[in-house]
Amino acid sequence: MGEFVFPPCATPSAAVAASSQRFPVHRIYCVSSNYADQVREISSDPSVFFMKPADAVVANGAAVPYPSRTVNCQHEIELVIAIGREGRDVPERRALEHVFGYAAGIDLPGGAGDWFPKVKY
């Protein structure tokens, strides 16, 4: 393996409450089933699953970058479930064994539709 053409970013992570430890963020899986009207704009399925990049995580209190011409930046509060253990086809009765912890997150949705940030170019 060769050298990087520029230094890679640090591993995205989140602070762990009441600890000096950090939780490494590898993947962010999202389920859009709590906003039925918005989900119908995207799909006829009851739940839409999608991903966000791990580097979308912003530290508590840090500035959140967004396009400078944004006119109406919406935000949503989200339940975050941190998965701390690998698993595949995990039976429902054992799912909580894989949960590291919970957090509250703020999401700035992006894309098309009335419920996304309005960007005027």
Side-chain angles (χ1 to χ4, degrees), residues 1 9 15 22 30 39 48 60 73 84 93 99 101 103 107-108 112 118:
M1 183 181 205
C9 296
R22 299 194 62 81
C30 306
V39 171
V48 174
N60 187 26
C73 186
R93 70 182 185 284
V99 173
D107 183 29
L108 303 176
K118 305 298 187 221

Side-chain angles (χ1 to χ4, degrees), residues 7-13 55:
C9 296
T11 300
S13 64
D55 63 359

Side-chain angles (χ1 to χ4, degrees), residues 15-36:
V16 176
S19 169
S20 62
Q21 293 182 310
R22 299 194 62 81
F23 184 88
V25 178
H26 183 62
R27 294 184 178 103
I28 301 173
Y29 296 102
C30 306
V31 183
S32 181
S33 60
N34 53 340
Y35 299 102

Side-chain angles (χ1 to χ4, degrees), residues 20-118:
S20 62
Q21 293 182 310
R22 299 194 62 81
F23 184 88
V25 178
H26 183 62
R27 294 184 178 103
I28 301 173
Y29 296 102
C30 306
V31 183
S32 181
S33 60
N34 53 340
Y35 299 102
D37 293 339
Q38 292 89 338
V39 171
R40 280 191 287 278
E41 290 179 22
I42 299 170
S43 171
S44 60
D45 292 334
S47 295
V48 174
F49 295 85
F50 59 98
M51 293 180 68
K52 291 195 176 226
D55 63 359
V57 172
V58 177
N60 187 26
V64 178
Y66 59 90
S68 61
R69 295 185 182 199
T70 301
V71 176
N72 180 15
C73 186
Q74 304 279 324
H75 65 280
E76 303 167 350
I77 188 79
E78 303 289 351
L79 170 64
V80 177
I81 302 173
I83 306 299
R85 192 170 144 191
E86 289 184 14
R88 183 180 182 116
D89 299 323
V90 177
E92 185 176 346
R93 70 182 185 284
R94 304 205 56 201
L96 291 178
E97 295 173 16
H98 295 260
V99 173
F100 173 82
Y102 302 90
I106 298 176
D107 183 29
L108 303 176
D114 291 338
W115 55 298
F116 291 111
K118 305 298 187 221

